[in-house]
Amino acid sequence: PKVSSLVYVAAFAPDKGEAAGGIESEVPLTDAAGFTKPDKYGLVYFEAAKFHSGFAADLSGEQSDFMCKSQAPIAGKCFDETVENVAWKVRPTYAVVATEDKAISPVTERNMYKRAGAEITELKGNHVIFMSNPEAVAKVIMAAALAK
């Protein structure tokens, strides 16, 4: 109830009944992207060998290495779980497409955001666009916060 608008930044925006993994399969990713196979707890990580080129190419090697070594795991099953409630259907929506993203295809990002009726901003950069171009991302967030 207190959410006035949404901002997606190089992120999935599934519709009701969709799972992120199903959306991503529509546009094949490059070889630069890659997750590990689930461990015994079902957790996955972005592959260390592909982390810089596939996730954080805009950042220095030092920043990327730090992020890789400190990344939190993702529950692998989250890519298969379907969405039940879709906030972008009832809230103003803004989105940032990272045009050089290799973790989620920019084509996929664009398609989801268009479908959501989002006000779309395209920024040159990789998946961590919020770190490599924080001022531009913050500008989108502020526009969403101030929207009526």
Side-chain angles (χ1 to χ4, degrees):
K2 294 182 181 182
V3 175
S4 60
S5 58
L6 306 171
V7 181
Y8 291 90
V9 179
F12 288 110
D15 200 350
K16 184 174 182 168
E18 289 182 332
I23 295 170
E24 189 58 65
S25 66
E26 294 173 10
V27 178
L29 292 174
T30 68
D31 289 338
F35 284 98
T36 61
K37 294 208 179 303
D39 65 16
K40 65 182 180 180
Y41 304 106
L43 302 175
V44 298
Y45 298 83
F46 207 92
E47 290 180 38
K50 297 180 177 184
F51 194 92
H52 184 71
S53 63
F55 193 79
D58 302 348
L59 305 180
S60 69
E62 185 179 347
Q63 285 178 298
S64 180
D65 287 347
F66 176 79
M67 288 179 66
C68 181
K69 290 174 183 167
S70 60
Q71 67 178 302
I74 300 170
K77 67 181 182 179
C78 76
F79 295 106
D80 298 322
E81 293 183 0
T82 58
V83 171
E84 296 302 318
N85 298 304
V86 183
W88 54 255
K89 289 189 175 188
V90 296
R91 298 282 186 263
T93 303
Y94 294 73
V96 174
V97 173
T99 62
E100 297 178 4
D101 199 340
K102 293 179 181 62
I104 302 175
S105 165
V107 172
T108 299
E109 291 174 20
R110 219 174 272 115
N111 290 343
M112 288 184 294
Y113 303 156
K114 284 180 184 174
R115 177 182 66 184
E119 184 168 317
I120 301 170
T121 299
E122 297 209 8
L123 299 174
K124 183 179 180 181
N126 211 292
H127 196 66
V128 293
I129 192 73
F130 54 91
M131 292 180 71
S132 61
N133 198 345
E135 295 85 6
V137 173
K139 187 176 177 181
V140 174
I141 294 168
M142 289 304 299
L146 297 172
K148 298 289 178 195

